[in-house]
Amino acid sequence: MIGVAQRLLKRRALAEEAVQDAFVLIWRHAARFDPQRGAGLTWIYAILRNRSLSILRDEKRTETSDAPLGEEAASEEDDPETVMSKLSDAKALHACLETLPPQRRGLVLLAFVQGLTHGEIAGKLGLPIGSVKSWIRRSLIALKECLG
């Protein structure tokens, strides 16, 4: 199931989230399954596919490439400032990131370099998810204006 979700979502963490959500939905709606309408596996994979597509639609996530952003790839253990220093090839982006306040810059880097979801960032930093979403959105608008 993770393989199917990963083909749709392109990232392992998102695929695991989709599979977990699908299992919860399957458990909650097991009484709705009708063997006359199709096989159980078909029903399960349809729920997984729909949940994966919902994640893509809701979060408006884009595909990520495996190419490193700078000379070396960022690891999950790196703090946001270390990650930013590794963006040596992206000087314009680096300059625009410098204009953001440190906390908002860190949120953007956690989301787009380390691939964390808004919920994961909120949990990791102990912040409300609504604040994380709005700060990232405002930061992206500022970066877009800065980059032209």
Side-chain angles (χ1 to χ4, degrees):
M1 286 181 75
I2 287 180
V4 170
Q6 195 166 354
R7 274 193 303 255
L8 289 168
L9 297 169
K10 308 293 185 217
R11 294 196 329 233
R12 176 82 180 190
L14 291 177
E16 290 172 356
E17 180 181 331
V19 170
Q20 171 66 29
D21 291 349
F23 278 129
V24 170
L25 289 170
I26 291 164
W27 180 259
R28 286 185 185 159
H29 302 291
R32 292 184 186 173
F33 173 68
D34 181 8
Q36 300 297 326
R37 295 179 65 194
L41 271 178
T42 306
W43 181 70
I44 289 171
Y45 279 103
I47 290 173
L48 175 64
R49 181 182 176 277
N50 290 338
R51 184 61 197 130
S52 297
L53 293 175
S54 291
I55 289 173
L56 283 175
R57 208 175 22 252
D58 292 345
E59 297 295 327
K60 295 180 178 140
R61 293 185 169 106
T62 58
E63 292 184 18
T64 58
S65 69
D66 291 335
L69 293 171
E71 294 173 4
E72 55 184 289
S75 71
E76 289 188 21
E77 292 79 34
D78 290 342
D79 63 276
E81 297 303 318
T82 304
V83 171
M84 194 171 112
S85 69
K86 292 180 180 180
L87 297 174
S88 62
D89 292 339
K91 292 182 183 190
L93 177 59
H94 191 279
C96 289
L97 283 167
E98 284 287 336
T99 65
L100 295 175
Q103 184 179 25
R104 287 178 42 191
R105 179 175 52 234
L107 294 174
V108 170
L109 292 171
L110 286 171
F112 291 95
V113 176
Q114 294 184 359
L116 299 179
T117 65
H118 292 132
E120 290 169 337
I121 294 169
K124 182 175 184 172
L125 301 178
L127 298 169
I129 192 166
S131 298
V132 169
K133 286 181 177 184
S134 63
W135 289 341
I136 289 175
R137 184 176 184 280
R138 281 186 250 145
S139 298
L140 292 177
I141 291 169
L143 287 174
K144 185 177 178 181
E145 289 173 3
C146 179
L147 290 170

